[in-house]
């Protein structure tokens, strides 16, 4: 079935392609240093994979083809869903899985025609810890810094906040969709009369009307939330967000974090923290992601997961001076185990080692990491910091001493 390529640029000059490959190489290198392994999914997927699940890609936006047997297929409209299915059906979901991909996706809309775009993203499946959420958001920030961006923001919200707040309103699906549109665009001019036409309690109407304004510095936004309307689930969700923000402060990237409780993602499979990234050069998000803990339920497995994807075309548009970065290969895997009291020190060391090109995996001491098989293990506790390489154990007090030890044992 022939189709017209829409707004995404499908052809590149030699120089444009060289810059694009340099950009992708930088993303790939950073994904590798966080312990992610590259995979790919099929270009053609079963139409039923998406239509049997609600809250995924709109079926009208899919590019459909028919194979020789008459089966309806679609050109890959999303990567998260096939990766989740693959992990669930393979039985590998019993362990923590870290995957990254660089693949094209295809969507069709009435306004833009068929659009082919490239996504570079990661998926971490198999755990549900705020430390993982924070590390993945930090990875996105690390990517942006690698690319030379300095003035950027990561907006963080929660998929359950909006749903929980409007639940008592008893709105119809069209009313919810209209309200989401107003919130996403911060269109108070039309949102206020829309809410006035609905039969709502005054305090609930006021709380919903305030959602678009719950945006800014995390601590300030938390203070603006109407506590009298928060149920137990909403308090739990906000506590989770606060934990993630605190962890990001320990990563020392708080200046890039904005809390946006009006953040709504059109993929309804997101269950918990959601986020998107903006740079000053373009006015639309160039990365989006979040936690989707219930998607594995459709395949009969408990598979909590979180991920994000960069829109490579938007990244390329935003970049003025893409640099050069070669792909890291064959570096040893370093496993860092830390006590809570040594968390900030462990985060700083992990950041330094990744900048040096090491593959680093970071875990709180109480975390079960039996399935990990590191080449070298680092331990941070109140008594001492150690490096274990095979049967050899050495202690260190500074990162300079650590780097000297790693060089001696054949590091990067």
């Amino acid at each position: 079935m022939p189709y017209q390529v829409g707004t995404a640029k499908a052809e590149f000059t030699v120089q444009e392609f060289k810059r694009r490959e340099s950009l992708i190489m930088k993303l790939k290198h950073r994904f590798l240093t966080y312990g992610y392994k590259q995979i790919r999914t099929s270009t053609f997927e079963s139409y039923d994979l998406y239509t049997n699940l609600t809250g995924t890609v709109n079926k009208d936006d899919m590019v459909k083809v028919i194979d020789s047997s008459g089966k309806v297929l679609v050109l890959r409209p999303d990567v998260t869903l096939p990766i989740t299915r693959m992990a669930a059906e393979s039985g590998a979901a019993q362990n923590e899985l870290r995957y990254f991909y660089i693949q094209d996706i295809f969507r069709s809309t009435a306004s833009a025609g068929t659009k082919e775009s490239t996504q570079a993203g990661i998926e971490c499946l198999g755990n549900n810890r705020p430390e993982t959420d924070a590390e993945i958001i930090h990875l996105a920030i690390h990517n942006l810094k690698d690319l030379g961006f300095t003035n950027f923001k990561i907006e963080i919200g929660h998929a359950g906040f909006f749903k929980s707040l409007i639940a008592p309103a008893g709105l119809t699906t069209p009313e919810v969709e209209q309200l989401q549109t107003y919130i996403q665009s911060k269109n108070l001019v039309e949102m206020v009369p829309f809410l006035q036409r609905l039969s709502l309690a005054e305090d609930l109407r006021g709380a919903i009307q305030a959602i678009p304004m719950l945006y800014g510095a995390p601590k300030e936004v938390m203070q603006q939330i109407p506590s009298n309307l928060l149920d137990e689930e909403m308090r739990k969700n906000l506590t989770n967000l606060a934990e993630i923000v605190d962890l990001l402060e320990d990563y020392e990237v708080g200046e890039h974090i904005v809390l946006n409780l009006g953040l709504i993602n059109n993929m309804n499979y997101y269950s918990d923290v959601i986020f998107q990234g903006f740079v000053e050069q373009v006015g639309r998000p160039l990365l989006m992601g979040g936690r989707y803990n219930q998607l594995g339920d459709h395949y009969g497995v408990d598979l909590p997961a979180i991920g994000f994807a960069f829109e490579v075309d938007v990244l390329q548009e935003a970049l003025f001076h893409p640099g050069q970065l070669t792909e890291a290969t064959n570096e040893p895997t370093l496993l860092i185990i830390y006590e809570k009291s040594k968390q900030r020190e462990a985060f700083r060391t992990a950041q330094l080692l990744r900048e040096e090109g090491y593959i680093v995996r970071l875990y709180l001491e109480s975390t079960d990491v039996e399935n990990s098989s590191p080449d070298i293990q680092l331990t941070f506790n109140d008594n001492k910091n150690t490096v274990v390489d095979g049967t050899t154990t050495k202690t260190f007090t500074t990162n300079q001493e650590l780097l000297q030890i790693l060089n001696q044992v054949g590091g990067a």
Side-chain angles (χ1 to χ4, degrees), residues 272-310:
D272 295 83
V273 62
I274 52 177
F275 54 94
Q276 60 185 14
F278 292 88
V279 299
E280 61 181 350
Q281 289 86 342
V282 293
R284 59 190 186 281
L286 45 70
L287 78 92
M288 300 187 74
R291 178 165 283 283
Y292 50 100
N293 286 344
Q294 280 78 53
L295 198 52
D297 295 349
H298 296 282
Y299 304 103
V301 296
D302 179 19
L303 189 60
I306 183 172
F308 71 81
F310 281 102

Side-chain angles (χ1 to χ4, degrees), residues 347-394:
F347 284 1
R348 285 177 174 171
T349 301
Q351 176 79 348
L352 170 68
L353 293 173
R354 285 164 175 157
E355 292 291 352
E356 292 290 326
Y358 289 93
I359 297 171
V360 180
R361 301 187 65 166
L362 194 66
Y363 291 95
L364 191 62
E365 188 180 48
S366 59
T367 305
D368 181 9
V369 291
E370 290 180 355
N371 294 311
S372 299
S373 56
D375 297 303
I376 302 171
Q377 179 169 315
L378 280 61
T379 302
F380 289 78
N381 57 46
D382 288 333
N383 297 324
K384 59 184 177 180
N385 299 338
T386 62
V387 179
V388 179
D389 174 38
T391 59
T392 303
T393 301
K394 297 183 179 181

